[in-house]
Amino acid sequence: MEKIALFGLTLTDLQEVCKDLKLPKFVAKQISDWLYKKNITSIDEMTNLSKKARELLNEKYTFGVHAPIKAQESTDGTKKYLYQAPNRNFIETVYIPDKERATLCVSSQVGCKMGCLFCVTGKQGFQAQLTPGEIVNQIRSLPEREKLTNIVYMGMGEPFDNLDNVMKSLEILTSDYGFEMSPRRITVSSIGITPALQTFLKDSNCHLAISLHTPFEDERRKLMPVENVYNLPEIMDVIRKHDFGLQRRVSFEYIMFKGVNDTPAHIKQMCKLLNGLRCRVNLIKFHAFDGSPLEGSDRQTIEYFSNKLNEKGIRSTIRASRGEDILAACGLLSTKELVKRKDIED
Ligand code: SF4
């Protein structure tokens, strides 16, 4: 029988493990300390557990952390790490240092089933959900872990299509028994699956980023098939009804496509859509890839768009493009080809 990873289990899950193994309840907290607060990699190193407890755990469980199997570094200092997931699946994680800030862009799925027209991960299709442990391991096993200031769920996959595992990973990152990170340092980005969005807003305090890309529904439908199921008015309704308070942030991601979503009509409609909402719009350069019917807007147009939004009272920033030379930039992550390669071992 395949052993189960302890890393990625919540405190409640660990209490169930202890109950199952007839270990005292307090052992669960001892295990979570070893998993999330110390730097060990095996059950045998959990030295305050009895020898019997360690033997029982070893019979059914593994510790469950693993280092990246490959790293690539961009000329701008961005690093892309490759992690292995079960069944010869692979995921990419991107480390983006920027002065005082160091952000990690984590993946939540192997591939993605959402099929957004502008995204290479979408072209890969869906292979697997990541477990909470596989999500948190991208942080725990990162060589630069100590330098991290922010985490964004903007890597491969749609986080709200793997909601339970993403929520558990957020619990581990932010709880007292886990990594004790402030939820204000974590942003989850989604295309807006409304039932999951509601759960996320209710049960977490992390920031939200919505992939908007156009304020027009018919246009969004062409760029993002999800619009056919969960449409923009519904998403905006959920967001407008939620009290974000002063600390929690909602932002909108907007990749700029030449002649598609960068016109004055789009500026006007954006102002209408976001009127009165305390939010920020992140304008992103499109990174074209082979076979894509889309082209990126030029720098001048992006700046004009940004200035106009700011003039109209909609806070807008232009996101610096990072890691393009190693295909680590927004929308370029893909591990499709790796499954076929023989030089990467199981
Ligand atoms: Fe999936 Fe996000 Fe890419 Fe859309 S943009 S296909 S949701 S990974």
Side-chain angles (χ1 to χ4, degrees), residues 248-271:
R248 196 174 191 186
R249 193 175 58 222
V250 57
S251 54
F252 294 89
E253 310 292 299
Y254 199 105
I255 305 178
M256 297 206 59
F257 308 110
K258 190 176 185 174
V260 175
N261 65 354
D262 60 357
T263 72
H266 289 88
I267 298 172
K268 202 170 160 197
Q269 188 65 15
M270 283 291 280
C271 294

Side-chain angles (χ1 to χ4, degrees), residues 179-280:
F179 286 7
E180 296 182 90
M181 277 189 77
S182 163
R184 310 300 176 210
R185 299 204 166 268
I186 303 173
T187 301
V188 178
S189 174
S190 169
I191 53 175
I193 297 174
T194 41
L197 171 61
Q198 281 166 316
T199 305
F200 167 79
L201 289 175
K202 181 168 64 70
D203 295 344
S204 139
N205 284 318
C206 297
H207 296 312
L208 170 71
I210 291 288
S211 299
L212 181 60
H213 310 312
T214 173
F216 295 110
E217 276 178 79
D218 51 346
E219 216 166 69
R220 199 168 185 262
R221 220 168 283 132
K222 288 181 201 149
L223 292 170
M224 306 166 74
V226 71
E227 181 70 24
N228 291 305
V229 188
Y230 303 109
N231 60 34
L232 203 44
E234 247 181 72
I235 297 168
M236 293 310 295
D237 190 50
V238 172
I239 290 174
R240 284 195 180 275
K241 282 184 180 150
H242 186 78
D243 178 8
F244 282 84
L246 290 175
Q247 300 292 317
R248 196 174 191 186
R249 193 175 58 222
V250 57
S251 54
F252 294 89
E253 310 292 299
Y254 199 105
I255 305 178
M256 297 206 59
F257 308 110
K258 190 176 185 174
V260 175
N261 65 354
D262 60 357
T263 72
H266 289 88
I267 298 172
K268 202 170 160 197
Q269 188 65 15
M270 283 291 280
C271 294
K272 234 166 138 180
L273 187 78
L274 305 180
N275 183 29
L277 196 67
R278 197 177 59 80
C279 66
R280 184 169 71 189

Side-chain angles (χ1 to χ4, degrees), residues 54-241:
R54 279 178 272 156
E55 276 169 11
L56 286 170
L57 283 169
N58 268 320
E59 277 170 25
K60 277 175 88 172
Y61 299 92
T62 60
F63 193 92
V65 291
H66 49 95
I69 55 172
K70 192 178 163 193
Q72 282 174 278
E73 184 164 0
S74 159
T75 49
D76 67 19
T78 300
K79 288 183 186 168
K80 183 167 79 169
Y81 288 103
L82 183 70
Y83 285 94
Q84 183 143 25
N87 304 321
R88 280 196 69 76
N89 281 317
F90 303 92
I91 49 160
E92 293 180 324
T93 306
V94 182
Y95 172 72
I96 312 157
D98 184 18
K99 300 185 191 104
E100 302 302 302
R101 211 178 151 101
T103 304
L104 191 70
C105 178
V106 298
S107 294
S108 54
Q109 296 180 311
V110 184
C112 183
K113 60 179 90 139
M114 297 300 154
C116 301
L117 197 63
F118 45 84
C119 175
V120 180
T121 312
K123 283 182 91 68
Q124 170 170 346
F126 174 78
Q127 279 80 46
Q129 300 287 24
L130 293 186
T131 63
E134 285 155 1
I135 297 171
V136 182
N137 179 63
Q138 294 168 68
I139 298 146
R140 154 76 198 252
S141 298
L142 185 83
E144 295 82 2
R145 183 188 162 186
E146 298 306 321
K147 296 182 194 159
L148 276 185
T149 60
N150 294 74
I151 293 172
V152 293
Y153 283 61
M154 295 185 185
M156 299 171 70
E158 161 53 45
F160 289 174
D161 188 41
N162 187 15
L163 184 72
D164 290 349
N165 291 344
V166 164
M167 292 302 285
K168 279 192 177 189
S169 71
L170 294 174
E171 178 184 325
I172 293 164
L173 291 177
T174 57
S175 65
D176 289 348
Y177 73 80
F179 286 7
E180 296 182 90
M181 277 189 77
S182 163
R184 310 300 176 210
R185 299 204 166 268
I186 303 173
T187 301
V188 178
S189 174
S190 169
I191 53 175
I193 297 174
T194 41
L197 171 61
Q198 281 166 316
T199 305
F200 167 79
L201 289 175
K202 181 168 64 70
D203 295 344
S204 139
N205 284 318
C206 297
H207 296 312
L208 170 71
I210 291 288
S211 299
L212 181 60
H213 310 312
T214 173
F216 295 110
E217 276 178 79
D218 51 346
E219 216 166 69
R220 199 168 185 262
R221 220 168 283 132
K222 288 181 201 149
L223 292 170
M224 306 166 74
V226 71
E227 181 70 24
N228 291 305
V229 188
Y230 303 109
N231 60 34
L232 203 44
E234 247 181 72
I235 297 168
M236 293 310 295
D237 190 50
V238 172
I239 290 174
R240 284 195 180 275
K241 282 184 180 150

